[in-house]
Structure formats: C-alpha cells, structure tokens
Amino acid sequence: MVVWLISWAHSGLFRGFAINTLGHFPGQFLYYSAYEYSNQRLRSLIPDNIGPNSSRALGILQVID
Amino acid sequence: MIDLANILGFFSNAAAGGIAEAVSAFSYLPTDIITQRLQVHAKRNFHRSMHNATALNIVRHIYMTEGLSGFFRGFAPYIIVHGPGSAIWWASYEISKSLIFQLYSRAGLHIKPDGIYSGTDSLKLAACVVSGALAGAAGYVAVNPLEVAKTRLQLLEATKDADRSKLRAGFLNLLLEVYRNEGIRGLFKGIRPRLLIRVPVSSIAFVGYEYLKESSIRL
C-alpha cells in the first residue's frame, strides 16, 4: 500500500520531487553560505570611520566637549 | 536614523544576495531542468528514443545531445530574474529589521544582547517575522514583471507554431510588449497567488536563518 502510494504520488503530482529536492538541499546550503561569505567580505570593505559611533565621530565629539 | 555606514551595509546585503543567487544556480539549474523534462515527458513523448523517462535517462540524454552546457541552459535569464529579487529580498529584510530595532529602542524596549530565538526574546522574533514578510513582498513585487516575461518566453519556446521573431527579439522586448499591450496590470499578473505563498515562506526562511546563524555562532 505504502509503496503503491509513493509510486502513485511520484508519477503524478509529485513527479520530479526527489530530483528537485536533491538539487535544493545543496542549493540552499550554497545560497546561504555564499551570502554570508560575500556579505562579510563586502562589509569588511566599508571603512569604520563613517558611522555615528565611529572613532572619527567620537573624536569630533571629544573635541567639542 | 540610518547613517552612511548602514546604507553601505544595505548595499553589501543586496550585492551578497545577488552573488548568492548566482552561486546557488549551479545547484538549482541542473535539477530544475531535469525536473521540468521529467514533468513534460510524463505527458508527451518528445524523444521517441527515450522509452522510459527516468531522471537517469534524462541526465544521460541531456549529456549525450547537449553536453555539460545542457544542464545550465537558461543560466542568464535565471540570473536576470532571480538575482535582483534576491538582492532586494536581503536588503529590504535588513532595512526593515534595523528600522524595527530603532522603533524598539525609542519605545524603551530592550533586546537581549545574546538574542536567543527559543522564545525568550519574542521582540527579536517578532522583528524577524515582520521583516521577513515585508522582504518577501518587496522582493516578489519588484521581480514579478521579470517573472511574467520569463514565463511568456518559456511558453513561446514550448509552442510549436510560435512566432520565431518574438523569440529572437528576446527577454527585454517581450517585457516591453507586455507593457505596451496590457499596461502595468499585465506586468503584475499572478502577483496575488505568488505573494500568498511567498510572504509566509519568506518569514519562515528568515526565522530559520537567524536561528541557525545564532546557534552556529554559539557553537
């Protein structure tokens, strides 16, 4: 019964489900890893002296004080 | 207030989102192509030589007839459609999250620094759910015109008596033709069912992402 159900589902509405899942697991892993890696690399290029809490901004505040 | 560092950070999120889509396409595309052919072969028998359309037979057939490049057909349109969507998705998620955090701090609400997602920090979880939903909506609304053009192009390719000149004119011309003939409404066809599925999926994806990220940092 279970085997019949699986084979029926696989041949009908879920045709290609297994192969699609096979690509989506590594795909998701690649996607989020690539995002994290490239985001970290790109963020490291942003100089740290442009935010309100940056060393440069704090330096200016100390001068004003 | 959002400062210059934040704005550059959002650009970084967007660029990383686009890069991630391009990298993951190497895994998605081949299996997408095999899945599509499996689904098509279930109804029609295009290749009479292929008696039994199993995934393995299709892989063999693609490799024999088109070589390795056959598994990466449509790479450029895939990136054109999904790259900007992914970029907007990530950037709008981060923008929305940082705006919600600012609203929290103005209201005197404090997020726990170790931000655990196991229910103890419901504020952070709520920010994540709302930002995920907004990002899903922004990403899919922005990309819907491209999706419409891509689907029409695929339908044209699958039609036997298709107007070949339309196919040769390509993606951008088809996009303009839809706009000329059907206006803005035509470019946003199918947006409602798409949003109905994608918005909750986007929320769930971001909650899972943040949870796994925090868990792996703590390891």
Side-chain angles (χ1 to χ4, degrees):
Chain A
M1 177 72 182
V2 174
V3 173
W4 175 82
L5 202 67
I6 292 169
S7 62
W8 171 78
H10 197 256
S11 62
L13 284 173
F14 292 93
R15 195 167 169 81
F17 176 79
I19 190 79
N20 211 13
T21 310
L22 205 71
H24 274 69
F25 269 115
Q28 289 279 301
F29 177 75
L30 269 177
Y31 181 82
Y32 288 101
S33 307
Y35 174 79
E36 279 301 321
Y37 179 75
S38 48
N39 194 29
Q40 272 178 24
R41 296 292 296 224
L42 288 166
R43 276 182 181 261
S44 70
L45 299 174
I46 301 172
D48 67 344
N49 59 351
I50 47 171
N53 298 323
S54 66
S55 50
R56 195 175 69 180
L58 290 174
I60 292 165
L61 287 176
Q62 277 168 1
V63 171
I64 293 168
D65 281 348
Chain B
M1 210 184 90
I2 292 174
D3 56 58
L4 183 61
N6 277 335
I7 293 167
L8 289 174
F10 299 142
F11 275 111
S12 154
N13 295 132
I19 292 167
E21 196 62 68
V23 172
S24 62
F26 283 98
S27 173
Y28 287 136
L29 258 183
T31 48
D32 269 356
I33 287 170
I34 298 163
T35 309
Q36 279 169 10
R37 295 205 186 179
L38 260 175
Q39 288 164 347
V40 168
H41 282 298
K43 288 210 160 190
R44 291 182 259 180
N45 192 9
F46 279 130
H47 306 283
R48 294 193 184 282
S49 59
M50 201 189 293
H51 299 296
N52 194 9
T54 61
L56 203 66
N57 278 346
I58 287 170
V59 169
R60 220 177 279 148
H61 185 264
I62 293 172
Y63 185 71
M64 298 295 270
T65 53
E66 299 167 58
L68 264 183
S69 63
F71 294 102
F72 297 96
R73 251 184 175 217
F75 188 84
Y78 182 92
I79 299 300
I80 290 169
V81 173
H82 296 284
S86 175
I88 294 166
W89 192 56
W90 280 103
S92 47
Y93 171 71
E94 294 294 344
I95 290 170
S96 158
K97 201 173 76 176
S98 93
L99 286 173
I100 292 173
F101 283 176
Q102 281 178 25
L103 284 176
Y104 281 165
S105 68
R106 266 189 218 164
L109 300 165
H110 297 289
I111 298 158
K112 286 172 188 150
D114 56 343
I116 301 162
Y117 270 89
S118 56
T120 51
D121 198 346
S122 49
L123 284 176
K124 210 170 171 186
L125 184 65
C128 185
V129 169
V130 172
S131 305
L134 290 173
Y140 287 101
V141 166
V143 162
N144 204 71
L146 301 173
E147 280 273 4
V148 169
K150 192 192 90 175
T151 311
R152 301 248 175 135
L153 203 66
Q154 283 172 334
L155 283 172
L156 263 177
E157 279 170 348
T159 315
K160 268 186 182 173
D161 50 350
D163 185 355
R164 294 280 136 191
S165 64
K166 271 188 189 174
L167 272 175
R168 274 195 296 272
F171 190 80
L172 274 177
N173 274 302
L174 202 73
L175 195 73
L176 283 172
E177 198 189 281
V178 174
Y179 176 68
R180 258 185 251 120
N181 296 337
E182 300 164 51
I184 290 283
R185 274 174 168 263
L187 293 175
F188 288 94
K189 266 190 177 167
I191 189 86
R192 279 184 205 162
R194 206 163 273 156
L195 286 181
L196 212 65
I197 298 166
R198 300 296 183 172
V199 167
V201 166
S202 170
S203 264
I204 295 165
F206 275 120
V207 170
Y209 162 77
E210 294 282 6
Y211 179 77
L212 285 173
K213 194 176 159 186
E214 276 188 13
S215 307
S216 54
I217 288 169
R218 250 182 277 127
L219 278 175

